[in-house]
Amino acid sequence: MRKIALISIMVVAILFNSCLAAYAGGGLYYTVKPGDTLSEIGEKFGLNYRYLMEKNKLSSENIIPGLRLNVTPANYQVHTVKLGDTLYRIAQNYGLEVKELQRQNGISSSNIWPGMKLVITTGSKASNKYNAKPALSRKFNVTKEDIRLLAQLIHAEARGEPLSGQIAVGAVIMNRMASSEFPEQIREIIYQRSKGVYQFTPVQDGQIRLEPNEASFYAAERALKGEDPTGGALFFYNPETSSDEWIKTLPVTKIIGNHVFAR
């Protein structure tokens, strides 16, 4: 048994590109080597560099040799081989091709044994929120002015909120663009009025004209790429300050920071 355990530890140290990452305590870690860049490391493991920055709480892309990075994918898990398991059956259970399962674990044969640990990463890169395809850009024309205006709204509505809350505000605009119930352009959505009143308070009180910061532009970019922490919300409000009783009757999809998101 001790021999099997030792072999298992050795096997899970082989991942994606032959011993590039090591398994430890339920996660995958990579030690930065001279000449490495965050983007290149991300490419090796099928991860976006921004995901790596957030996962490792990095404030910039600058990394130094010897730094230990968590490169665990969001959809990562470990399967412990049981008696009677086959590589084909395991791959089938997780919706993977055998070749993909072999690639993820750096193995070329079908030989497995009870107690062996296999790294499983289901889904594709496109399912990763940081690699989301900007589907809306195929349907709508988004200009630089639109991006800036979206960042202005995010800054006015959600400055001081967590990053996910800022992205969520942008996602509401994107969700409205995709909905037949709202206009098809960012500017039209943000400046839309109902009974003579603007839909968004910062447009009404002029805060929309505040200069957006870098975080607001970053949140706008992620929302434009399809990231949606709200679960498809079309509305949001602050329950402490909102006097609109109608909006409070809508089904809530998520609460992030000081905002309630609904549809």
Side-chain angles (χ1 to χ4, degrees), residues 107-121:
I107 58 179
S108 56
S109 74
S110 298
N111 297 327
I112 56 174
W113 52 87
M116 180 180 180
K117 294 184 184 297
L118 295 173
V119 169
I120 309 290
T121 304

Side-chain angles (χ1 to χ4, degrees), residues 68-198:
R68 190 166 179 257
L69 292 176
N70 188 331
V71 293
T72 308
N75 48 2
Y76 154 91
Q77 53 193 305
V78 174
H79 176 88
T80 302
V81 177
K82 301 177 179 61
L83 189 65
D85 273 350
T86 65
L87 207 62
Y88 173 77
R89 185 178 298 171
I90 295 169
Q92 193 174 46
N93 288 342
Y94 288 98
L96 297 172
E97 296 289 336
V98 172
K99 287 183 179 179
E100 175 61 17
L101 184 57
Q102 289 174 319
R103 185 195 70 79
Q104 290 184 12
N105 288 273
I107 58 179
S108 56
S109 74
S110 298
N111 297 327
I112 56 174
W113 52 87
M116 180 180 180
K117 294 184 184 297
L118 295 173
V119 169
I120 309 290
T121 304
T122 56
S124 65
K125 290 182 184 180
S127 67
N128 187 311
K129 65 180 182 178
Y130 297 89
N131 289 301
K133 301 294 183 183
L136 289 172
S137 66
R138 296 198 298 267
K139 186 177 180 181
F140 303 102
N141 181 32
V142 178
T143 66
K144 290 182 179 179
E145 289 73 20
D146 290 331
I147 296 171
R148 179 176 179 78
L149 182 59
L150 181 60
Q152 286 177 260
L153 181 73
I154 291 171
H155 181 72
E157 288 278 14
R159 61 186 183 276
E161 293 289 310
L163 178 59
S164 59
Q166 296 184 53
I167 297 169
V169 168
V172 167
I173 304 302
M174 297 298 101
N175 291 338
R176 288 191 177 195
M177 283 180 70
S179 170
S180 60
E181 299 176 14
F182 295 90
E184 294 185 352
Q185 301 298 330
I186 288 177
R187 174 167 289 277
E188 293 174 5
I189 290 171
I190 291 177
Y191 284 102
Q192 186 178 16
R193 286 190 284 188
S194 177
K195 297 179 181 179
V197 178
Y198 287 106

Side-chain angles (χ1 to χ4, degrees), residues 46 58 65 90 92 147 151 156 168 171 181 202 224 230 261 263:
L58 300 175
I90 295 169
Q92 193 174 46
I147 296 171
E181 299 176 14
L224 283 163
T230 73
F261 294 85
R263 61 181 171 197

Side-chain angles (χ1 to χ4, degrees), residues 209-239:
R209 292 191 292 273
L210 293 174
E211 184 66 23
N213 56 22
E214 186 177 344
S216 301
F217 276 105
Y218 180 47
E221 178 187 346
R222 293 205 6 200
L224 283 163
K225 287 184 175 180
E227 186 173 341
D228 182 9
T230 73
L234 294 170
F235 304 89
F236 66 90
Y237 60 94
N238 185 330

Side-chain angles (χ1 to χ4, degrees), residues 235-256:
F235 304 89
F236 66 90
Y237 60 94
N238 185 330
E240 298 297 323
T241 59
S242 177
S243 59
D244 188 338
E245 294 301 321
W246 172 82
I247 201 170
K248 295 178 182 178
T249 66
L250 297 175
V252 173
T253 61
K254 190 69 70 74
I255 297 175
I256 306 174

